[in-house]
Every structure is written in C-alpha cells, then in structure tokens.
Amino acid sequence: MDPFGHPDLVRLGRSLRNRLDDTLDAEQSAARAAALRRRTLRDRLLDSEDRTELLLLSTDDGHIYRGVVDAVGVDHVVLVDGDVERFVAIAHIVTMEVR
C-alpha cells in the first residue's frame, strides 16, 4: 500500500497546490501593477520602438510630430516619417498617441 496515496493526503495536497497557485497569481498581479506604476514615458517609447508603432507626439510648443520610433536616447526620441527624421526632446512631450 502506498502511504502517499491516502485520500486525506491527496485532498491536502490539492488544497495546498490551489493555495500556492492563488498566491502566485496574486504576486504576479501585484508585480505587474507595480511595474506599470514605475514606468516612465521613456520606457513606453522604448516599447513603441520594439513594436514599431506609429506615434503622434505633441510638444509644449504646440507642434505635433508623427512617425515610427527609430531610436530612443536618454533625453530624446527619433521619429521617422517617410524619409524625414525628427529628434524630439522627451522633456517637451506633452501627449503621446499610439496608432
């Protein structure tokens, strides 16, 4: 007879596994929320570069820039629209729209 095949142990094991799974889900959700709260505009621009997303950026001087992120520096982003390349200072970005 298998001592670990006892019905009480099977039920206990299942219960502990369910609790562990619930705890893991809660921890992953909390980590995801914390990461989103700490994310900066530069981090989002880096994501856009990886995804080759089309952006519309408006700046504090009223200009709107459109293009795909070609590069992200420490303090600027490079947008390419056709054969036009624009460097936009991250500190001057007011809004960002992702298309």
Coordinates of all heavy atoms in Angstrom, one line a residue:
M1 N 0.8 -1.2 0.0 CA 0.0 0.0 0.0 C 0.9 1.2 0.0 O 1.8 1.3 0.7 CB -0.9 0.0 1.2 CG -1.8 1.2 1.3 SD -3.0 0.9 2.7 CE -3.7 2.5 2.7
D2 N 0.5 2.2 -0.8 CA 1.3 3.4 -1.0 C 0.9 4.4 0.2 O -0.3 4.8 0.2 CB 1.0 4.0 -2.3 CG 1.7 5.3 -2.6 OD1 2.7 5.6 -1.8 OD2 1.4 6.1 -3.5
P3 N 1.8 4.8 1.0 CA 1.4 5.7 2.1 C 1.0 7.1 1.7 O 0.3 7.8 2.4 CB 2.7 5.7 3.0 CG 3.8 5.3 2.1 CD 3.2 4.4 1.1
F4 N 1.5 7.5 0.5 CA 1.2 8.8 0.0 C -0.1 8.8 -0.8 O -0.5 9.9 -1.3 CB 2.3 9.3 -0.8 CG 3.6 9.5 -0.1 CD1 4.7 8.6 -0.3 CD2 3.7 10.4 0.9 CE1 5.9 8.7 0.4 CE2 4.9 10.5 1.7 CZ 6.0 9.7 1.4
G5 N -0.7 7.7 -1.0 CA -2.0 7.7 -1.8 C -3.2 7.8 -0.9 O -4.3 7.5 -1.3
H6 N -3.0 8.1 0.4 CA -4.1 8.2 1.3 C -5.0 9.3 0.9 O -4.6 10.4 0.5 CB -3.6 8.4 2.7 CG -4.6 8.3 3.8 ND1 -5.5 9.3 4.1 CD2 -4.9 7.2 4.6 CE1 -6.3 8.9 5.1 NE2 -5.9 7.6 5.4
P7 N -6.3 9.1 0.9 CA -7.3 10.2 0.5 C -7.1 11.5 1.2 O -7.2 12.5 0.5 CB -8.6 9.6 0.8 CG -8.4 8.1 0.9 CD -7.0 7.9 1.3
D8 N -6.8 11.5 2.4 CA -6.6 12.7 3.2 C -5.4 13.5 2.6 O -5.4 14.7 2.5 CB -6.4 12.5 4.7 CG -7.7 12.0 5.3 OD1 -8.8 12.3 4.7 OD2 -7.7 11.4 6.4
L9 N -4.3 12.7 2.3 CA -3.1 13.4 1.8 C -3.3 13.9 0.4 O -2.8 15.0 0.0 CB -1.9 12.4 1.8 CG -1.4 12.0 3.2 CD1 -0.3 10.9 3.0 CD2 -0.9 13.2 3.9
V10 N -4.1 13.2 -0.4 CA -4.4 13.7 -1.8 C -5.2 15.0 -1.7 O -4.9 16.0 -2.4 CB -5.2 12.6 -2.5 CG1 -5.7 13.2 -3.8 CG2 -4.3 11.4 -2.8
R11 N -6.2 15.0 -0.8 CA -7.0 16.2 -0.6 C -6.2 17.4 -0.1 O -6.3 18.5 -0.6 CB -8.2 15.9 0.3 CG -9.3 16.8 0.2 CD -10.5 16.3 1.1 NE -10.0 15.0 1.6 CZ -10.8 14.1 2.2 NH1 -12.0 14.3 2.3 NH2 -10.3 13.0 2.6
L12 N -5.3 17.1 0.9 CA -4.4 18.1 1.4 C -3.5 18.7 0.4 O -3.3 19.9 0.3 CB -3.6 17.6 2.6 CG -2.6 18.5 3.3 CD1 -3.4 19.7 3.9 CD2 -1.8 17.8 4.3
G13 N -2.9 17.8 -0.4 CA -2.0 18.2 -1.5 C -2.7 19.1 -2.5 O -2.2 20.1 -2.9
R14 N -3.9 18.7 -2.9 CA -4.7 19.5 -3.8 C -5.0 20.9 -3.2 O -4.9 21.9 -3.9 CB -6.0 18.8 -4.2 CG -6.7 19.4 -5.3 CD -8.0 18.6 -5.7 NE -7.7 17.2 -6.0 CZ -8.2 16.2 -5.3 NH1 -9.1 16.4 -4.3 NH2 -7.9 15.0 -5.6
S15 N -5.4 20.9 -2.0 CA -5.7 22.2 -1.3 C -4.4 23.1 -1.2 O -4.5 24.3 -1.5 CB -6.2 21.9 0.1 OG -6.4 23.1 0.8
L16 N -3.3 22.5 -0.9 CA -2.0 23.3 -0.8 C -1.6 23.8 -2.2 O -1.2 24.9 -2.4 CB -0.9 22.5 -0.2 CG -1.1 22.2 1.3 CD1 0.0 21.2 1.7 CD2 -1.0 23.5 2.1
R17 N -1.8 23.0 -3.2 CA -1.5 23.4 -4.6 C -2.4 24.5 -5.0 O -1.9 25.5 -5.7 CB -1.6 22.2 -5.5 CG -1.0 22.5 -6.9 CD -1.1 21.2 -7.8 NE -0.9 20.0 -7.2 CZ -1.8 19.0 -7.0 NH1 -3.0 19.2 -7.5 NH2 -1.6 17.9 -6.4
N18 N -3.7 24.5 -4.7 CA -4.6 25.6 -5.1 C -4.2 26.9 -4.4 O -4.2 27.9 -5.0 CB -6.0 25.2 -4.7 CG -6.6 24.1 -5.7 OD1 -6.0 23.9 -6.8 ND2 -7.6 23.4 -5.2
R19 N -3.8 26.8 -3.1 CA -3.4 28.0 -2.4 C -2.2 28.6 -3.0 O -2.0 29.8 -3.1 CB -3.2 27.7 -0.9 CG -4.4 27.6 -0.1 CD -4.1 27.5 1.4 NE -5.3 27.2 2.1 CZ -5.4 27.1 3.4 NH1 -4.2 27.1 4.1 NH2 -6.5 26.9 4.0
L20 N -1.2 27.7 -3.3 CA 0.0 28.1 -3.9 C -0.2 28.8 -5.3 O 0.3 29.9 -5.6 CB 1.0 27.0 -4.1 CG 2.4 27.3 -4.7 CD1 3.1 28.3 -3.8 CD2 3.2 26.1 -5.0
D21 N -1.1 28.2 -6.1 CA -1.5 28.9 -7.4 C -2.1 30.2 -7.2 O -1.8 31.2 -7.9 CB -2.4 27.9 -8.2 CG -1.7 26.7 -8.7 OD1 -0.4 26.7 -8.7 OD2 -2.4 25.7 -9.1
D22 N -3.0 30.3 -6.2 CA -3.7 31.6 -5.9 C -2.7 32.6 -5.4 O -2.8 33.8 -5.8 CB -4.8 31.4 -4.8 CG -6.0 30.6 -5.3 OD1 -6.1 30.4 -6.6 OD2 -6.8 30.2 -4.5
T23 N -1.8 32.2 -4.6 CA -0.7 33.1 -4.1 C 0.2 33.6 -5.2 O 0.5 34.8 -5.4 CB 0.1 32.5 -3.0 OG1 -0.7 32.1 -1.9 CG2 1.2 33.4 -2.5
L24 N 0.5 32.7 -6.1 CA 1.4 33.0 -7.3 C 0.6 34.0 -8.2 O 1.2 35.0 -8.6 CB 1.7 31.8 -8.1 CG 2.6 32.0 -9.3 CD1 3.9 32.6 -9.0 CD2 2.8 30.6 -10.0
D25 N -0.6 33.8 -8.5 CA -1.4 34.7 -9.3 C -1.5 36.1 -8.6 O -1.3 37.1 -9.3 CB -2.8 34.2 -9.5 CG -2.9 33.0 -10.4 OD1 -1.9 32.7 -11.1 OD2 -3.9 32.3 -10.4
A26 N -1.7 36.2 -7.3 CA -1.7 37.5 -6.6 C -0.4 38.2 -6.7 O -0.3 39.4 -6.9 CB -2.2 37.3 -5.2
E27 N 0.7 37.5 -6.5 CA 2.0 38.1 -6.5 C 2.4 38.6 -8.0 O 2.9 39.6 -8.1 CB 3.1 37.0 -6.1 CG 3.0 36.7 -4.6 CD 3.5 37.9 -3.8 OE1 4.3 38.7 -4.2 OE2 3.0 38.0 -2.6
Q28 N 2.0 37.8 -9.0 CA 2.3 38.2 -10.3 C 1.4 39.5 -10.7 O 1.9 40.4 -11.3 CB 2.0 37.1 -11.3 CG 3.0 36.0 -11.3 CD 2.6 34.9 -12.2 OE1 1.5 34.7 -12.6 NE2 3.7 34.1 -12.6
S29 N 0.2 39.5 -10.2 CA -0.6 40.7 -10.5 C -0.1 41.9 -9.8 O 0.0 43.0 -10.4 CB -2.0 40.4 -10.0 OG -2.9 41.5 -10.2
A30 N 0.4 41.8 -8.6 CA 1.0 42.9 -7.8 C 2.3 43.4 -8.5 O 2.5 44.6 -8.6 CB 1.2 42.5 -6.4
A31 N 3.1 42.4 -8.9 CA 4.3 42.8 -9.6 C 4.0 43.5 -10.9 O 4.7 44.5 -11.2 CB 5.2 41.6 -9.9
R32 N 3.0 43.1 -11.7 CA 2.7 43.8 -12.9 C 2.2 45.2 -12.6 O 2.6 46.1 -13.3 CB 1.6 42.9 -13.6 CG 1.3 43.4 -15.0 CD 0.3 42.4 -15.8 NE -0.5 41.5 -15.0 CZ -0.2 40.2 -14.8 NH1 0.9 39.7 -15.3 NH2 -1.0 39.5 -14.1
A33 N 1.3 45.3 -11.6 CA 0.8 46.7 -11.3 C 1.9 47.6 -10.8 O 2.0 48.8 -11.2 CB -0.2 46.6 -10.2
A34 N 2.9 47.1 -10.0 CA 4.0 47.9 -9.6 C 4.9 48.3 -10.7 O 5.3 49.5 -10.8 CB 4.8 47.1 -8.5
A35 N 5.1 47.4 -11.7 CA 5.9 47.8 -12.8 C 5.3 48.8 -13.7 O 5.9 49.8 -14.2 CB 6.2 46.5 -13.7
L36 N 4.0 48.8 -13.8 CA 3.2 49.8 -14.6 C 3.3 51.1 -13.9 O 3.3 52.2 -14.6 CB 1.8 49.3 -14.9 CG 1.6 48.2 -15.9 CD1 0.2 47.7 -15.9 CD2 2.1 48.6 -17.2
R37 N 3.2 51.1 -12.6 CA 3.3 52.4 -11.9 C 4.6 53.1 -11.9 O 4.7 54.3 -11.8 CB 2.9 52.2 -10.4 CG 1.4 51.8 -10.2 CD 1.1 51.6 -8.8 NE -0.3 51.2 -8.7 CZ -0.7 50.1 -8.0 NH1 0.2 49.4 -7.3 NH2 -1.9 49.8 -7.9
R38 N 5.7 52.3 -12.1 CA 7.0 52.9 -12.1 C 7.5 53.2 -13.6 O 8.5 53.8 -13.8 CB 8.0 51.9 -11.5 CG 8.0 51.8 -10.0 CD 9.2 51.0 -9.5 NE 9.3 49.7 -10.1 CZ 8.8 48.6 -9.6 NH1 8.1 48.6 -8.5 NH2 8.9 47.4 -10.2
R39 N 6.7 52.8 -14.5 CA 7.1 53.0 -15.9 C 7.1 54.5 -16.3 O 6.1 55.2 -16.0 CB 6.1 52.3 -16.8 CG 6.6 52.0 -18.2 CD 5.8 50.9 -18.8 NE 4.7 51.4 -19.6 CZ 4.1 50.7 -20.4 NH1 4.4 49.4 -20.6 NH2 3.1 51.2 -21.1
T40 N 8.1 54.9 -17.0 CA 8.2 56.3 -17.5 C 7.8 56.4 -18.9 O 7.6 55.4 -19.6 CB 9.7 56.8 -17.3 OG1 10.5 56.0 -18.2 CG2 10.1 56.6 -15.8
L41 N 7.8 57.7 -19.4 CA 7.5 57.9 -20.8 C 8.6 57.3 -21.7 O 8.3 56.7 -22.7 CB 7.4 59.4 -21.0 CG 7.1 59.9 -22.5 CD1 5.8 59.2 -23.0 CD2 7.1 61.4 -22.6
R42 N 9.8 57.4 -21.2 CA 10.9 56.8 -22.0 C 10.7 55.3 -22.1 O 11.0 54.7 -23.2 CB 12.3 57.1 -21.3 CG 13.4 56.6 -22.1 CD 14.8 57.0 -21.4 NE 15.9 56.5 -22.2 CZ 16.4 55.3 -22.2 NH1 15.8 54.4 -21.3 NH2 17.4 54.9 -22.9
D43 N 10.3 54.7 -21.0 CA 10.1 53.2 -21.1 C 9.0 52.9 -22.1 O 9.1 51.9 -22.9 CB 9.6 52.7 -19.7 CG 10.7 52.8 -18.7 OD1 11.9 52.7 -19.0 OD2 10.3 52.9 -17.5
R44 N 7.9 53.7 -22.2 CA 6.9 53.5 -23.1 C 7.3 53.7 -24.6 O 7.0 53.0 -25.5 CB 5.7 54.4 -22.8 CG 4.5 54.2 -23.7 CD 4.0 52.7 -23.6 NE 2.9 52.5 -24.5 CZ 3.0 52.0 -25.7 NH1 4.1 51.7 -26.2 NH2 1.9 51.8 -26.4
L45 N 8.2 54.7 -24.7 CA 8.8 55.0 -26.0 C 9.7 53.8 -26.5 O 9.7 53.4 -27.7 CB 9.6 56.3 -26.0 CG 8.8 57.6 -26.0 CD1 9.7 58.8 -25.6 CD2 8.0 57.8 -27.3
L46 N 10.4 53.2 -25.6 CA 11.2 52.0 -25.9 C 10.3 50.9 -26.3 O 10.6 50.1 -27.3 CB 12.1 51.6 -24.7 CG 13.2 52.5 -24.4 CD1 13.8 52.2 -23.0 CD2 14.3 52.4 -25.5
D47 N 9.2 50.7 -25.6 CA 8.2 49.7 -26.1 C 7.7 50.0 -27.5 O 7.6 49.0 -28.3 CB 7.0 49.6 -25.1 CG 7.3 49.0 -23.8 OD1 8.4 48.4 -23.6 OD2 6.5 49.2 -22.8
S48 N 7.4 51.2 -27.8 CA 7.0 51.6 -29.1 C 8.0 51.3 -30.2 O 7.7 50.9 -31.3 CB 6.6 53.1 -29.1 OG 5.5 53.3 -28.4
E49 N 9.3 51.5 -29.8 CA 10.4 51.2 -30.7 C 10.4 49.7 -31.0 O 10.5 49.3 -32.2 CB 11.7 51.7 -30.2 CG 12.9 51.4 -31.1 CD 14.2 51.7 -30.4 OE1 14.3 51.9 -29.2 OE2 15.2 51.8 -31.2
D50 N 10.3 48.9 -30.0 CA 10.3 47.5 -30.2 C 9.1 47.0 -31.0 O 9.2 46.1 -31.8 CB 10.2 46.8 -28.8 CG 11.5 47.0 -28.0 OD1 12.6 47.3 -28.6 OD2 11.5 46.8 -26.8
R51 N 8.0 47.6 -30.9 CA 6.7 47.2 -31.6 C 6.6 47.9 -32.9 O 5.6 47.7 -33.7 CB 5.5 47.6 -30.7 CG 5.5 46.8 -29.5 CD 4.3 47.2 -28.6 NE 4.3 46.5 -27.3 CZ 3.8 47.0 -26.2 NH1 3.2 48.2 -26.2 NH2 3.9 46.4 -25.1
T52 N 7.5 48.9 -33.3 CA 7.4 49.7 -34.5 C 6.0 50.3 -34.6 O 5.4 50.2 -35.7 CB 7.8 48.9 -35.8 OG1 6.9 47.8 -35.9 CG2 9.2 48.4 -35.7
E53 N 5.6 51.0 -33.6 CA 4.3 51.6 -33.6 C 4.4 53.0 -34.2 O 5.4 53.7 -34.0 CB 3.8 51.8 -32.1 CG 3.5 50.4 -31.5 CD 3.1 50.6 -30.0 OE1 3.6 51.5 -29.3 OE2 2.4 49.7 -29.5
L54 N 3.3 53.4 -34.8 CA 3.2 54.8 -35.3 C 2.7 55.7 -34.2 O 1.7 55.4 -33.5 CB 2.2 54.9 -36.5 CG 1.9 56.2 -37.1 CD1 3.2 56.8 -37.7 CD2 0.8 56.2 -38.0
L55 N 3.4 56.8 -33.9 CA 3.1 57.7 -32.8 C 2.8 59.1 -33.3 O 3.2 59.5 -34.4 CB 4.3 57.9 -31.9 CG 4.9 56.6 -31.2 CD1 6.0 57.0 -30.3 CD2 3.8 55.9 -30.4
L56 N 1.9 59.8 -32.5 CA 1.7 61.2 -32.7 C 2.1 61.8 -31.4 O 1.6 61.5 -30.3 CB 0.2 61.5 -32.9 CG -0.3 61.1 -34.3 CD1 -1.8 61.4 -34.3 CD2 0.4 61.8 -35.4
L57 N 3.1 62.7 -31.4 CA 3.6 63.3 -30.2 C 3.3 64.8 -30.3 O 3.6 65.5 -31.3 CB 5.1 63.2 -30.1 CG 5.7 61.8 -30.0 CD1 7.2 61.8 -29.9 CD2 5.1 61.0 -28.8
S58 N 2.7 65.4 -29.2 CA 2.5 66.8 -29.2 C 3.5 67.3 -28.1 O 3.7 66.7 -27.1 CB 1.1 67.2 -28.9 OG 0.7 66.8 -27.6
T59 N 4.0 68.5 -28.4 CA 5.0 69.1 -27.5 C 4.5 70.4 -26.9 O 3.5 70.9 -27.3 CB 6.3 69.4 -28.3 OG1 6.0 70.2 -29.4 CG2 7.0 68.1 -28.7
D60 N 5.2 70.8 -25.9 CA 4.7 72.0 -25.2 C 4.7 73.3 -26.0 O 4.1 74.3 -25.6 CB 5.6 72.2 -23.9 CG 7.1 72.3 -24.1 OD1 7.5 72.3 -25.3 OD2 7.8 72.3 -23.1
D61 N 5.4 73.3 -27.2 CA 5.3 74.5 -28.1 C 4.2 74.4 -29.1 O 4.0 75.2 -29.9 CB 6.6 74.7 -28.8 CG 7.0 73.5 -29.7 OD1 6.3 72.5 -29.7 OD2 8.1 73.6 -30.3
G62 N 3.3 73.3 -29.0 CA 2.2 73.2 -29.8 C 2.4 72.4 -31.1 O 1.4 72.2 -31.8
H63 N 3.6 72.0 -31.4 CA 3.8 71.2 -32.6 C 3.4 69.7 -32.3 O 3.4 69.2 -31.2 CB 5.3 71.2 -32.9 CG 5.7 72.5 -33.5 ND1 6.2 73.5 -32.8 CD2 5.8 72.9 -34.8 CE1 6.5 74.5 -33.6 NE2 6.3 74.1 -34.8
I64 N 3.0 69.1 -33.4 CA 2.6 67.7 -33.4 C 3.6 66.9 -34.4 O 3.7 67.3 -35.5 CB 1.2 67.4 -33.8 CG1 0.2 68.1 -32.8 CG2 0.9 66.0 -34.0 CD1 -1.2 68.0 -33.2
Y65 N 4.2 65.9 -33.9 CA 5.1 65.1 -34.6 C 4.6 63.7 -34.8 O 4.0 63.1 -33.9 CB 6.5 65.0 -33.9 CG 7.1 66.4 -33.7 CD1 7.0 67.0 -32.5 CD2 7.8 67.0 -34.7 CE1 7.5 68.3 -32.3 CE2 8.3 68.3 -34.5 CZ 8.2 68.9 -33.3 OH 8.7 70.1 -33.1
R66 N 4.7 63.2 -36.0 CA 4.2 61.9 -36.4 C 5.3 61.0 -36.9 O 6.2 61.5 -37.7 CB 3.1 62.0 -37.5 CG 2.6 60.8 -38.1 CD 1.8 61.1 -39.3 NE 1.7 59.9 -40.1 CZ 0.6 59.2 -40.3 NH1 -0.5 59.6 -39.7 NH2 0.6 58.2 -41.1
G67 N 5.3 59.8 -36.6 CA 6.4 58.9 -37.1 C 6.5 57.6 -36.3 O 5.9 57.4 -35.3
V68 N 7.3 56.7 -36.8 CA 7.7 55.5 -36.2 C 9.0 55.7 -35.4 O 9.9 56.4 -35.9 CB 7.9 54.4 -37.2 CG1 8.3 53.1 -36.5 CG2 6.6 54.1 -38.0
V69 N 9.0 55.2 -34.2 CA 10.2 55.4 -33.3 C 11.4 54.6 -34.0 O 11.3 53.4 -34.2 CB 10.0 54.9 -31.9 CG1 11.2 55.1 -31.1 CG2 8.8 55.6 -31.3
D70 N 12.4 55.4 -34.3 CA 13.7 54.8 -34.8 C 14.7 54.5 -33.8 O 15.4 53.6 -33.8 CB 14.2 55.7 -35.9 CG 15.4 55.1 -36.7 OD1 15.2 53.9 -37.1 OD2 16.4 55.7 -36.8
A71 N 14.7 55.4 -32.8 CA 15.7 55.3 -31.7 C 15.2 56.1 -30.5 O 14.5 57.1 -30.6 CB 17.1 55.8 -32.1
V72 N 15.6 55.6 -29.3 CA 15.3 56.4 -28.1 C 16.6 56.6 -27.3 O 17.3 55.6 -27.0 CB 14.3 55.6 -27.2 CG1 14.0 56.3 -25.9 CG2 13.0 55.3 -27.9
G73 N 16.9 57.9 -27.1 CA 18.1 58.2 -26.3 C 17.7 58.5 -24.8 O 16.6 58.3 -24.4
V74 N 18.7 58.9 -24.1 CA 18.4 59.2 -22.7 C 17.4 60.4 -22.6 O 16.6 60.4 -21.7 CB 19.8 59.6 -22.0 CG1 19.5 60.1 -20.6 CG2 20.7 58.4 -22.0
D75 N 17.5 61.4 -23.5 CA 16.7 62.6 -23.3 C 15.9 62.9 -24.6 O 15.3 63.9 -24.7 CB 17.5 63.8 -22.9 CG 18.6 64.1 -24.0 OD1 18.8 63.3 -24.9 OD2 19.2 65.2 -23.8
H76 N 15.9 62.0 -25.6 CA 15.2 62.3 -26.9 C 14.7 61.1 -27.5 O 15.2 60.0 -27.2 CB 16.2 63.1 -27.8 CG 17.3 62.2 -28.4 ND1 18.4 62.0 -27.6 CD2 17.4 61.6 -29.5 CE1 19.2 61.2 -28.3 NE2 18.6 60.9 -29.5
V77 N 13.8 61.3 -28.5 CA 13.3 60.2 -29.3 C 13.5 60.6 -30.8 O 13.4 61.8 -31.1 CB 11.9 59.8 -29.0 CG1 11.0 61.0 -29.2 CG2 11.3 58.7 -29.7
V78 N 13.8 59.6 -31.6 CA 13.9 59.9 -33.0 C 12.7 59.3 -33.7 O 12.5 58.0 -33.6 CB 15.3 59.3 -33.6 CG1 15.4 59.6 -35.1 CG2 16.5 59.8 -32.8
L79 N 12.0 60.1 -34.4 CA 10.8 59.6 -35.2 C 11.1 59.7 -36.7 O 11.7 60.7 -37.1 CB 9.6 60.5 -34.9 CG 9.0 60.5 -33.5 CD1 7.8 61.5 -33.5 CD2 8.6 59.1 -33.1
V80 N 10.7 58.7 -37.4 CA 10.9 58.7 -38.8 C 9.6 58.6 -39.5 O 8.7 57.7 -39.2 CB 11.8 57.4 -39.3 CG1 11.9 57.3 -40.8 CG2 13.2 57.5 -38.6
D81 N 9.3 59.5 -40.4 CA 8.1 59.5 -41.2 C 8.5 59.7 -42.6 O 8.8 60.8 -43.1 CB 7.2 60.7 -40.7 CG 5.8 60.7 -41.4 OD1 5.4 59.6 -41.9 OD2 5.1 61.7 -41.4
G82 N 8.4 58.6 -43.4 CA 8.9 58.6 -44.7 C 10.4 58.7 -44.7 O 11.1 57.9 -44.1
D83 N 10.9 59.8 -45.4 CA 12.4 60.0 -45.3 C 12.7 61.2 -44.5 O 13.8 61.7 -44.5 CB 12.9 60.2 -46.8 CG 12.1 61.1 -47.6 OD1 10.9 61.3 -47.3 OD2 12.6 61.6 -48.6
V84 N 11.8 61.6 -43.6 CA 12.0 62.7 -42.7 C 12.3 62.1 -41.3 O 11.6 61.3 -40.8 CB 10.8 63.6 -42.6 CG1 11.0 64.7 -41.6 CG2 10.5 64.2 -44.0
E85 N 13.4 62.6 -40.7 CA 13.8 62.1 -39.4 C 13.8 63.3 -38.4 O 14.3 64.3 -38.7 CB 15.3 61.5 -39.5 CG 15.8 60.9 -38.2 CD 17.1 60.3 -38.4 OE1 18.1 61.1 -38.6 OE2 17.3 59.1 -38.5
R86 N 13.0 63.1 -37.3 CA 12.9 64.2 -36.3 C 13.4 63.7 -35.0 O 13.1 62.6 -34.5 CB 11.4 64.6 -36.2 CG 10.9 65.3 -37.4 CD 9.5 65.9 -37.1 NE 9.1 66.7 -38.2 CZ 8.5 66.3 -39.3 NH1 8.2 65.0 -39.4 NH2 8.1 67.1 -40.3
F87 N 14.1 64.6 -34.3 CA 14.6 64.4 -32.9 C 13.7 65.2 -32.0 O 13.6 66.5 -32.2 CB 16.0 64.8 -32.8 CG 17.0 64.0 -33.5 CD1 17.1 64.0 -34.9 CD2 17.8 63.1 -32.8 CE1 18.0 63.2 -35.6 CE2 18.7 62.3 -33.5 CZ 18.8 62.3 -34.9
V88 N 13.0 64.6 -31.1 CA 12.1 65.3 -30.2 C 12.6 65.1 -28.7 O 12.9 63.9 -28.3 CB 10.7 64.8 -30.3 CG1 9.7 65.5 -29.4 CG2 10.2 64.9 -31.7
A89 N 12.8 66.2 -28.0 CA 13.2 66.1 -26.6 C 12.1 65.5 -25.7 O 10.9 66.0 -25.8 CB 13.6 67.4 -26.1
I90 N 12.4 64.4 -25.0 CA 11.4 63.8 -24.2 C 10.8 64.7 -23.2 O 9.6 64.7 -22.9 CB 12.0 62.5 -23.5 CG1 12.3 61.5 -24.5 CG2 11.0 61.9 -22.5 CD1 13.0 60.2 -24.0
A91 N 11.6 65.6 -22.6 CA 11.1 66.6 -21.6 C 10.0 67.5 -22.2 O 9.3 68.1 -21.4 CB 12.3 67.4 -21.1
H92 N 10.0 67.7 -23.5 CA 9.0 68.6 -24.1 C 7.7 67.9 -24.6 O 6.8 68.6 -25.1 CB 9.6 69.4 -25.2 CG 10.7 70.3 -24.8 ND1 10.5 71.5 -24.1 CD2 12.1 70.2 -24.8 CE1 11.6 72.1 -23.8 NE2 12.6 71.3 -24.2
I93 N 7.7 66.6 -24.5 CA 6.5 65.9 -24.9 C 5.3 66.1 -23.9 O 5.5 65.9 -22.7 CB 6.8 64.4 -25.1 CG1 7.8 64.2 -26.2 CG2 5.5 63.6 -25.4 CD1 8.3 62.7 -26.3
V94 N 4.2 66.5 -24.4 CA 3.0 66.7 -23.6 C 2.0 65.5 -23.7 O 1.6 65.0 -22.7 CB 2.3 68.0 -24.0 CG1 1.0 68.2 -23.2 CG2 3.2 69.2 -23.8
T95 N 1.8 65.1 -24.9 CA 0.9 63.9 -25.1 C 1.6 63.0 -26.1 O 2.3 63.4 -27.0 CB -0.5 64.3 -25.6 OG1 -0.4 64.9 -26.8 CG2 -1.2 65.2 -24.6
M96 N 1.2 61.7 -26.0 CA 1.6 60.7 -26.9 C 0.4 59.8 -27.3 O -0.3 59.3 -26.5 CB 2.7 59.8 -26.3 CG 3.2 58.7 -27.2 SD 4.6 57.8 -26.4 CE 3.9 56.3 -26.1
E97 N 0.2 59.7 -28.6 CA -0.9 58.9 -29.1 C -0.3 57.8 -29.9 O 0.6 58.0 -30.8 CB -1.8 59.7 -30.0 CG -3.0 59.0 -30.5 CD -4.0 59.8 -31.3 OE1 -4.1 61.0 -30.9 OE2 -4.5 59.3 -32.3
V98 N -0.7 56.5 -29.6 CA -0.2 55.4 -30.3 C -1.2 54.9 -31.3 O -2.4 54.7 -31.0 CB 0.1 54.2 -29.3 CG1 0.7 53.0 -30.1 CG2 1.1 54.7 -28.3
R99 N -0.8 54.7 -32.6 CA -1.7 54.3 -33.6 C -1.4 52.8 -34.0 O -0.4 52.4 -33.9 CB -1.6 55.1 -34.8 CG -1.9 56.6 -34.6 CD -3.3 56.9 -35.1 NE -3.7 58.2 -34.7 CZ -4.2 59.1 -35.5 NH1 -4.3 58.9 -36.7 NH2 -4.7 60.2 -35.0

